[in-house]
Amino acid sequence: PFVARFRIENDSELRINEFYLVNVHLRPAEVFVESMALRAVADEIFANNSDANVAVLGDFNFDCGYINPASRDTVRAQLAEFAWYI
């Protein structure tokens, strides 16, 4: 995935001054493996900044038959602290 870090330099009224955007497109044939790899990406970001604000954007290909329900549940458990806005 591509990871971009943004900083808000001026004294704004926002509650955050830094955030990360992670852009992904999971290949249909590798949805489970690549979904599980998101844990490593998140862990690397949080290792450098435990209070990081991170949004993962893109096509997860969790629809149709690309990932079975049991594997989807495994991914959700692995990324349980993520908020999913789909």
Side-chain angles (χ1 to χ4, degrees):
F2 292 101
V3 178
R5 182 178 76 176
F6 295 89
R7 288 183 158 206
I8 301 168
E9 295 292 334
N10 62 0
D11 186 25
S12 72
E13 295 187 22
L14 296 174
R15 295 183 303 160
I16 63 172
N17 60 6
E18 180 178 272
F19 62 95
Y20 294 80
L21 297 179
V22 180
N23 181 31
V24 300
H25 177 89
L26 304 183
R27 290 176 290 179
E30 299 294 328
V31 168
F32 179 73
V33 172
E34 291 181 2
S35 295
M36 296 300 285
L38 285 174
R39 172 83 271 155
V41 173
D43 288 346
E44 186 173 333
I45 293 170
F46 293 130
N48 295 320
N49 182 353
S50 62
D51 295 329
N53 296 287
V54 180
V56 182
L57 313 164
D59 188 349
F60 292 88
N61 279 313
F62 276 1
D63 55 343
C64 304
Y66 296 134
I67 188 168
N68 65 50
S71 294
R72 189 179 299 125
D73 290 343
T74 300
V75 171
R76 286 183 177 151
Q78 184 72 13
L79 303 173
E81 77 275 14
F82 285 39
W84 295 87
Y85 301 102
I86 298 175

